[in-house]
Amino acid sequence: MRADVLDALARHAATLDESGFDPRADVSVDAWAGLHADLAALGLEFSDITALDRIDAVELVCWLLSSPSEQLSVRTSCLNDRLLAPTLSDVYPPAEFGEREVYDLFGVVFEGHPDMSRILQPDDATTFPLRKSFELAETPW
Amino acid sequence: MGIVDRAEEAGFITTTLDKLLRWGRSRSMWPVNAGIACCSLEMMTTGAGRYDFDRFGIMFRSSPRQADVLIVPGPITKKMQPIVQRVYNQMAEPRWVIAMGSCAISGGAFADSYNVLPGCDTFLPVDVYIPGCPPRPEALIYGCLKLKEQIANTSFIGSAARNKALYVPPDLGEEWPDELLRQFGVLPADDSSEGGSRDVGEVRDEG
Amino acid sequence: MVNFPRSEATGGTETLLLNVGPQHPSTHGVLHFMLEMAGETVVTAKPVIGYLHRGIEKLAENRTWQQVIVLTDRQDYVAQFSNEWAYCRAVERLAGIELPERAEWLRTLMGELNRITSHLIWYAGVTMDIGTLGTPFIYAWETRERIFDFFEAVTGARMMPNWMRIGGVRTDIDPALLADLRTFLERDFPKECDTYEALLTGNEIVVSRMKGVGVYTAEECVHLGITGPFLRASGLARDLRRDAPYGAYAKLDFEVCTDPVGDSLARCRVRLRELRESARMCIQLIDGMPEGDIAVKVPKALKPPAGDCYVRTESPRGELGVFVASDGTTRPYRYRVRSPIFYGLSAMPRLLPGHLLADMLVIFGGIDTSMGEIDR
């Protein structure tokens, strides 16, 4: 882990956990955009943004690359009654599509996103299929 | 050839013309070049050098207006369904549909998905089903030859009335969502007072 | 980034909304572009995707770990082995499974052959887009068929092999087949590559359509999240096969193909060189193939420990990431694919404005789309 990245994480009160496969940093939703702006300024590249359903909350997972071979996940948690997070699309342009997908499949709304609309499902869809509460219909066989 | 299609009963002229039409139509099936998913690659393979679809008089056309066979090569999702329906509606009569692969037949590997229709026969009149995931090019050729047989052996006399009775295309309501049109400045930013009138981007008549 | 003054393009005239796709021969599947046109110039471009969204990520949560491999084949149907491999690597990392060396080499061989077939499909597609109807397509497809014969002999299926397993591969490859393949790759394939080059970079019309069209710098590409041959054609030698080697890549001698120019023609040159490079790697793999087991024993009811991991591989289109999460049961808790083209497409609204409609299809052809992977 680079020292300047550690500094940035500490500045935003992120907890760093290096016991897993890749280092992960957990941060509060309020510090989400600020931390990413700092990390982008340090030259970290965006790889992917996605989410995990934690039943009572949705965990946002953003994978960043500190070098072509080193990856780091930054995570935050949005409780079910407030599925709202600041957008990263002004920091990382590709996150625009990634966040639309998270909205489409998990229902997390990103504040400040230029176009918060459905991306994979039809525009008139009403469900968020990757939530665990959404169950697939039984097949006839 | 309205004489044959609309004829009420078979006479000497209509049956002779009918034979000619059957001979001609069965030997020049032109499918739409509409790739959907994995099966479209096998469809292209069939059109390429080794399997050579052209020798059966089967040539891919990019415009549905010029085509008379719709090969559905893949799963139909909820978002894709109106598009496939529209391609089908744009084709001129008489037209045939081939459901290629498990997904087009029943949803296949994605049958229990929330976004995939259980087969394209839920909204299209399918003539030939070709199983496989994906079907081999030989299977596609076999299916097309079966369709050729079917065309050659089915009288067209009175088929216009039959087709109408069999199948009525549903109203599509094919319009762009207002939201997208507003984004592109086709509709004014706030058009709630205008009642959604749109002069640009109007979908043309679908025949 | 391309800064395109909107007022200059429209010049006070009305713009036209033009839909390209979803049923269009040049969109390589069911992609839909909403273009705002000022005459022949693109003012804004909006990709509309999701026409092939089959919900693979949700379906995976309802399958066992092994059953997901069937879905990964169909997820990107142009690069089936790359997708199987990415998924298997992610699960193996999560479950801590070490592979026998022969399995790694076999996987690498199939992965590289798959890169050849995938690039050939790109070649057929991009040449069709610019109007060379038929000829390059027929040539490319014939070579692809020869490799597909090999795939069929090894896996039993032409397109959907379902061949890799968690912990190894399903079937071994017969030495006679390998010898045949080696002859083909060494004797015939370079000649065929010469033909492709003659038909593409040797064709005056094609060159004039592509040269200087859509020049992007490496910084722009990185900023917009573009990876793979598109990025390498802008001069940045970034390739996970070399930067973070997996499979047998660490033991192979290969070159990361780059081109300093960054236009559409450079993207063609990079892919054409990658064809030769992949064939060279395949020959090394066949020659150095170690003996041994092709799989380790993995319990049928595999239960990786709770946790999650993210694995990136170099698919023919760029960085293919797979994120899997387990809750300690026999089914994945979450399966997520980071599709290289999904993010490549997200850059299109920034890359396309200012170009002519005809050039737009050439630039778009440079990212080599496969809609199955984008929509999943």
Side-chain angles (χ1 to χ4, degrees):
Chain A
M1 235 6 193
R2 279 156 46 182
D4 48 355
V5 173
L6 288 175
D7 274 356
L9 291 175
R11 239 190 344 271
H12 292 276
T15 50
L16 186 70
D17 175 11
E18 294 194 83
S19 62
F21 293 103
D22 294 306
R24 66 176 273 183
D26 285 273
V27 74
S28 71
V29 180
D30 302 326
W32 180 248
L35 173 61
H36 279 285
D38 283 3
L39 291 178
L42 292 177
L44 266 68
E45 287 166 20
F46 173 86
S47 179
D48 192 18
I49 182 164
T50 182
L52 276 168
D53 187 351
R54 294 296 184 203
I55 310 301
D56 55 344
V58 173
E59 183 179 311
L60 293 179
V61 184
C62 185
W63 286 96
L64 302 174
L65 308 179
S66 46
S67 78
S69 59
E70 280 173 57
Q71 54 203 25
L72 147 83
S73 71
V74 181
R75 307 188 185 207
T76 186
S77 204
C78 302
L79 289 175
N80 273 353
D81 50 0
R82 198 169 179 282
L83 290 176
L84 210 60
T87 182
L88 303 182
S89 58
D90 40 1
V91 185
Y92 305 117
E96 188 181 327
F97 263 39
E99 287 177 350
R100 274 179 74 188
E101 191 185 326
V102 172
Y103 164 69
D104 192 359
L105 303 176
F106 286 91
V108 181
V109 175
F110 290 89
E111 283 174 307
H113 191 283
D115 174 22
M116 198 79 266
S117 59
R118 296 265 174 187
I119 186 166
L120 294 178
Q121 291 196 79
D123 294 320
D124 55 357
T126 53
T127 52
F128 301 110
L130 280 182
R131 295 306 305 262
K132 293 285 175 188
S133 52
F134 178 91
E135 283 184 14
L136 294 177
E138 281 292 311
T139 39
W141 54 85
Chain B
M1 285 292 157
I3 307 171
V4 172
D5 293 359
R6 296 204 176 78
E8 303 265 315
E9 54 191 56
F12 173 72
I13 297 177
T14 45
T15 46
T16 315
L17 203 53
D18 185 44
K19 260 186 207 164
L20 181 69
L21 280 183
R22 280 192 266 156
W23 177 81
R25 281 172 179 169
S26 65
R27 276 154 183 81
S28 64
M29 301 189 291
W30 287 6
V32 197
N33 186 0
I36 296 179
C38 340
C39 289
S40 61
L41 284 173
E42 287 298 66
M43 191 170 91
M44 285 155 80
T45 308
T46 321
R50 184 179 286 194
Y51 296 96
D52 194 9
F53 236 176
D54 293 9
R55 66 198 155 122
F56 303 108
I58 302 172
M59 291 163 76
F60 287 104
R61 309 303 301 176
S62 291
S63 164
R65 302 276 183 197
Q66 303 167 340
D68 45 16
V69 176
L70 174 63
I71 301 179
V72 184
I76 310 290
T77 60
K78 285 179 185 162
K79 200 169 177 176
M80 193 63 196
Q81 187 264 339
I83 313 292
V84 177
Q85 177 81 72
R86 188 168 165 184
V87 169
Y88 179 77
N89 289 354
Q90 284 176 338
M91 290 161 61
E93 294 266 6
R95 52 197 171 184
W96 296 273
V97 178
I98 295 178
M100 181 182 182
S102 318
C103 296
I105 295 173
S106 68
F110 313 108
D112 50 343
S113 168
Y114 53 88
N115 207 34
V116 174
L117 297 183
C120 68
D121 52 3
T122 49
F123 63 100
L124 291 178
V126 177
D127 295 277
V128 174
Y129 296 87
I130 306 175
C133 191
R136 296 180 59 88
E138 291 93 331
L140 180 59
I141 291 174
Y142 180 73
C144 287
L145 292 181
K146 280 284 161 199
L147 181 62
K148 180 183 167 185
E149 234 170 71
Q150 186 184 323
I151 297 171
N153 294 331
T154 313
S155 167
F156 285 99
I157 296 172
S159 61
R162 266 209 312 277
N163 281 345
K164 207 170 176 191
L166 273 176
Y167 181 67
V168 183
D171 180 28
L172 291 183
E174 43 193 25
E175 289 168 326
W176 296 113
D178 285 1
E179 199 185 312
L180 288 183
L181 290 175
R182 228 171 272 133
Q183 225 158 40
F184 276 79
V186 176
L187 287 181
D190 182 22
D191 68 333
S192 51
S193 57
E194 291 178 31
S197 75
R198 34 184 92 173
D199 41 355
V200 194
E202 190 73 50
V203 185
R204 65 204 154 99
D205 178 32
E206 295 303 342
Chain C
M1 205 168 306
V2 184
N3 284 316
F4 177 64
R6 186 190 166 91
S7 56
E8 190 183 291
T10 52
T13 58
E14 268 187 36
T15 55
L16 174 85
L17 174 66
L18 180 72
N19 288 293
V20 181
Q23 190 264 314
H24 187 279
S26 288
T27 53
H28 307 270
V30 285
L31 175 64
H32 174 191
F33 266 110
M34 285 178 94
L35 302 175
E36 190 188 354
M37 307 289 301
E40 280 283 303
T41 314
V42 178
V43 182
T44 55
K46 181 185 166 70
V48 182
I49 61 175
Y51 292 101
L52 197 53
H53 176 58
R54 296 151 292 182
I56 284 182
E57 291 175 2
K58 182 72 180 179
L59 290 178
E61 292 173 13
N62 290 271
R63 306 277 198 270
T64 63
W65 289 95
Q66 284 93 341
Q67 284 171 342
V68 177
I69 297 171
V70 176
L71 298 176
T72 58
D73 278 342
R74 283 145 187 87
Q75 169 188 297
D76 178 0
Y77 40 81
V78 182
Q80 309 88 344
F81 286 107
S82 303
N83 282 260
E84 284 181 14
W85 196 4
Y87 171 72
C88 289
R89 277 188 66 211
V91 179
E92 281 151 11
R93 188 175 183 209
L94 192 61
I97 298 170
E98 282 288 324
L99 256 66
E101 207 186 353
R102 186 173 172 87
E104 293 279 17
W105 281 65
L106 288 173
R107 281 183 179 188
T108 316
L109 173 66
M110 290 309 228
E112 282 310 307
L113 283 175
N114 202 193
R115 191 179 309 274
I116 294 177
T117 58
S118 171
H119 280 3
L120 286 173
I121 290 179
W122 158 82
Y123 177 79
V126 82
T127 49
M128 291 257 270
D129 291 352
I130 54 175
T132 59
L133 279 175
T135 314
F137 165 77
I138 299 266
Y139 278 97
W141 230 263
E142 183 48 33
T143 312
R144 183 174 173 267
E145 280 299 307
R146 307 238 341 227
I147 298 174
F148 265 39
D149 286 345
F150 177 75
F151 284 172
E152 195 178 359
V154 173
T155 68
R158 280 165 56 82
M159 265 186 76
M160 302 299 170
N162 195 6
W163 183 67
M164 289 183 198
R165 288 287 180 270
I166 295 162
V169 298
R170 180 159 56 86
T171 54
D172 206 344
I173 305 181
D174 192 78
L177 279 174
L178 284 179
D180 275 0
L181 180 72
R182 194 184 188 289
T183 318
F184 165 68
L185 289 173
E186 194 167 36
R187 199 187 56 197
D188 303 343
F189 191 72
K191 282 184 214 149
E192 283 167 24
C193 282
D194 292 343
T195 316
Y196 304 145
E197 276 170 20
L199 286 170
L200 194 75
T201 50
N203 184 333
E204 200 179 323
I205 301 171
V206 174
V207 171
S208 61
R209 280 291 302 277
M210 290 191 159
K211 200 167 188 176
V213 170
V215 185
Y216 306 113
T217 63
E219 289 75 40
E220 275 170 13
C221 292
V222 169
H223 183 62
L224 295 177
I226 294 173
T227 51
F230 198 111
L231 175 61
R232 291 197 281 275
S234 296
L236 187 63
R238 185 175 288 184
D239 191 327
L240 284 173
R241 291 175 291 174
R242 190 200 59 188
D243 298 335
Y246 54 96
Y249 287 121
K251 300 186 185 74
L252 298 182
D253 164 40
F254 65 99
E255 183 198 348
V256 177
C257 306
T258 57
D259 199 295
V261 184
D263 63 354
S264 288
L265 194 62
R267 297 192 264 280
C268 294
R269 280 198 298 263
V270 164
R271 286 204 174 84
L272 287 171
R273 279 172 56 206
E274 283 192 0
L275 281 178
R276 289 178 194 272
E277 208 56 38
S278 288
R280 211 162 67 81
M281 283 155 85
C282 287
I283 292 173
Q284 292 177 40
L285 284 161
I286 294 170
D287 289 343
M289 185 73 71
E291 293 297 321
D293 289 337
I294 56 164
V296 289
K297 226 170 163 48
V298 171
K300 280 220 172 69
L302 178 69
K303 289 179 187 167
D308 53 45
C309 82
Y310 183 60
V311 161
R312 293 173 302 133
T313 52
E314 188 75 25
S315 95
R317 283 167 193 74
E319 280 185 29
L320 176 74
V322 170
F323 175 60
V324 285
S326 165
D327 56 351
T329 60
T330 55
R331 286 156 200 257
Y333 186 77
R334 175 94 170 92
Y335 165 57
R336 150 85 188 168
V337 185
R338 183 248 188 238
S339 157
I341 314 298
F342 182 76
Y343 288 120
L345 208 57
S346 75
M348 286 295 128
R350 291 180 176 81
L351 295 184
L352 294 180
H355 289 286
L356 297 179
L357 177 64
D359 292 345
M360 168 241 155
L361 286 173
V362 175
I363 297 168
F364 166 67
I367 66 167
D368 184 15
T369 39
S370 154
M371 288 314 290
E373 193 188 64
I374 297 171
D375 293 341
R376 300 182 293 279

